[in-house]
Amino acid sequence: MSQTILTGLRVNSEITLGNYLGALLPMVRLANEHSDEYEINIFVPDLHSVISEIDGKLSENLLQSIKFYLASGIKLNQHVHFYRQSRVPAHSELCWLLNCLATMGELNRMTQFKDKSAGKDSVGVGIFDYPVLMAADILLYNAKYIPVGEDQFQHLELTRKLAERFNRRFGEIFVLPATPLEQVKFMHQSEGIRIRDLQNPEKKMSKSTVAENSKIMLFDTPEQASKKIMSATTDSLGKIQFDMFNQPGISNLLQIESLISGVPLQDVISTWAGETHYGDLKQKVAESVRVLLSDFQEKVNTISDQQVLELLEQGEAYANKVANHKLYQVQQLMGLR
Ligand code: ATP
Ligand code: MG
């Protein structure tokens, strides 16, 4: 089997400009760069979605998320595979088998679990166990590179550990995914991009933030979105320069401008060096955001559900073939077949 790059985009609700610039676009770039040497698996982690509450209709959101990739310019070829996790039952089956190898102590140590369960009286088993499902998502396909944020590194390490444990106990069957450090190198970005909250630029933009003016959603009207940029928090230093520590608001705007225009950040910074009118910068960024959103929305709307369903059908046939083969080997080693 050739090596695989794997990614999934959770679709519990709409996505923000931060998710788009920080996760979706880099993934599309990666896929377009590597689809001649790697299999590119892009899956909709719908079994992960049902762990928490879902805004709107899950089945509609599922199709929508594939449209996002298409509208962001992913090039289709026979090495790019789209599939829904729940349509490939081997994920759940392998998750169970791996559950029997993982320990409560290991899962208890996951900081995501600690964060998400802190202060709650009642915590779903899904939140506790999803790192094991994630391990199954990865190991079924010999996935080597899984472009995830830093918040997922611990889960990646767990995946490596479970794979090693299985290989030792039952026989060499799983390929270990690359270490977090190797992942970062492969994606050639030493530190992940972090778009900031527009009202509170010390924090990153998050879809779960309640304040509407803090975040730009990809389906805000383009006018709404440009207004949010115009009202973004800045500072009183009166200098346009890139300094995330002292001027996170202004730096964020420069960052957004660079990512949308495709002009390297250093060049954007030099263009604005010496300028003092924050309003001018805001107007420029507001316009870039407005154009981005209206183009993106138009593209998404021209892609039909039918088109997406056809892609999924092909992708799911591929995924089931690969995953069932791996699962069968695992079952054999464990004595189940
Ligand atoms: P939540 O508030 O529910 O955690 P989120 O906006 O942080 O939502 P996630 O679903 O946690 O989004 O992350 C989806 C992807 O987007 C991840 O790869 C994550 O690293 C990336 N991402 C999230 N927020 C930003 C941001 N502000 N800038 C760049 N990338 C981001
Ligand atoms: Mg998050």
Side-chain angles (χ1 to χ4, degrees):
M1 202 200 298
S2 52
Q3 290 187 331
T4 298
I5 301 174
L6 176 130
T7 187
L9 184 67
R10 248 161 64 100
V11 289
N12 289 48
S13 59
E14 269 194 34
I15 67 172
T16 67
L17 184 68
N19 303 142
Y20 176 79
L21 296 175
L24 197 61
L25 271 194
M27 183 57 210
V28 167
R29 204 177 317 120
L30 202 68
N32 289 348
E33 255 171 51
H34 292 288
S35 65
D36 48 348
E37 332 140 56
Y38 290 89
E39 300 299 323
I40 311 288
N41 287 18
I42 299 179
F43 76 108
V44 185
D46 50 359
L47 296 176
H48 288 284
S49 290
V50 294
I51 290 171
S52 49
E53 276 188 42
I54 296 152
D55 307 343
K57 269 227 189 81
L58 182 58
S59 60
E60 280 165 23
N61 290 354
L62 296 180
L63 300 186
Q64 186 83 334
S65 74
I66 304 294
K67 292 183 185 177
F68 288 172
Y69 284 97
L70 300 176
S72 309
I74 195 158
K75 291 194 211 123
L76 301 177
N77 66 35
Q78 76 272 25
H79 298 293
V80 178
H81 314 283
F82 293 100
Y83 53 92
R84 290 162 285 192
Q85 185 187 27
S86 70
R87 305 291 172 124
V88 187
H91 289 243
S92 314
E93 178 76 16
L94 182 61
C95 174
W96 176 258
L97 300 176
L98 294 175
N99 268 336
C100 298
L101 258 76
T103 69
M104 301 283 287
E106 277 168 336
L107 295 180
N108 256 322
R109 279 195 293 278
M110 296 293 127
T111 48
Q112 288 278 308
F113 171 67
K114 287 190 210 162
D115 290 351
K116 296 201 165 159
S117 59
K120 300 213 170 107
D121 301 334
S122 164
V123 179
V125 175
I127 290 191
F128 182 68
D129 194 38
Y130 88 90
V132 180
L133 180 59
M134 185 171 155
D137 300 335
I138 294 170
L139 297 175
L140 280 172
Y141 302 93
N142 289 351
K144 177 145 188 220
Y145 294 111
I146 305 99
V148 288
E150 200 190 333
D151 54 340
Q152 296 295 322
F153 283 175
Q154 207 185 7
H155 296 160
L156 213 54
E157 293 287 14
L158 177 75
T159 301
R160 289 170 52 84
K161 234 194 224 173
L162 292 176
E164 265 177 341
R165 193 172 302 157
F166 187 99
N167 288 350
R168 210 176 330 109
R169 207 172 290 175
F170 297 103
E172 289 284 330
I173 187 68
F174 290 128
V175 173
L176 268 56
T179 62
L181 193 68
E182 289 164 341
Q183 305 271 355
V184 171
K185 269 198 205 141
F186 180 71
M187 292 180 271
H188 45 78
Q189 45 185 146
S190 49
E191 43 184 343
I193 296 154
R194 278 282 168 262
I195 301 302
R196 304 305 182 99
D197 180 302
L198 296 176
Q199 292 302 313
N200 201 347
E202 284 78 33
K203 295 194 319 185
K204 78 166 194 75
M205 186 182 288
S206 284
K207 55 174 127 59
S208 55
T209 303
V210 183
E212 285 299 328
N213 275 343
S214 286
K215 55 186 183 181
I216 289 178
M217 305 307 294
L218 282 189
F219 279 83
D220 280 352
T221 67
E223 291 66 36
Q224 250 175 340
S226 58
K227 275 196 198 131
K228 290 181 185 178
I229 295 285
M230 293 308 294
S231 69
T233 300
T234 50
D235 56 69
S236 52
L237 294 178
K239 264 198 249 170
I240 299 184
Q241 56 186 9
F242 193 84
D243 177 353
M244 267 301 175
F245 191 71
N246 294 304
Q247 297 183 267
I250 287 294
S251 305
N252 192 36
L253 294 176
L254 291 167
Q255 172 84 273
I256 292 173
E257 178 60 20
S258 157
L259 290 168
I260 294 179
S261 63
V263 176
L265 182 58
Q266 277 313 325
D267 297 350
V268 174
I269 295 170
S270 337
T271 306
W272 288 92
E275 302 281 340
T276 54
H277 294 294
Y278 289 179
D280 295 348
L281 176 62
K282 283 184 171 179
Q283 231 145 28
K284 178 81 170 78
V285 180
E287 179 59 10
S288 301
V289 169
R290 199 187 61 73
V291 173
L292 173 77
L293 260 54
S294 67
D295 285 355
F296 184 82
Q297 291 168 7
E298 196 185 305
K299 280 192 202 136
V300 168
N301 289 333
T302 59
I303 304 164
S304 70
D305 287 357
Q306 190 51 37
Q307 222 175 320
V308 175
L309 287 168
E310 276 164 27
L311 277 175
L312 285 170
E313 209 170 298
Q314 289 165 27
E316 283 156 12
Y318 166 85
N320 271 300
K321 197 167 126 224
V322 174
N324 286 339
H325 179 66
K326 179 66 91 182
L327 178 64
Y328 185 75
Q329 291 174 309
V330 168
Q331 290 166 326
Q332 273 188 321
L333 287 171
M334 294 181 93
L336 294 163
R337 293 289 182 277

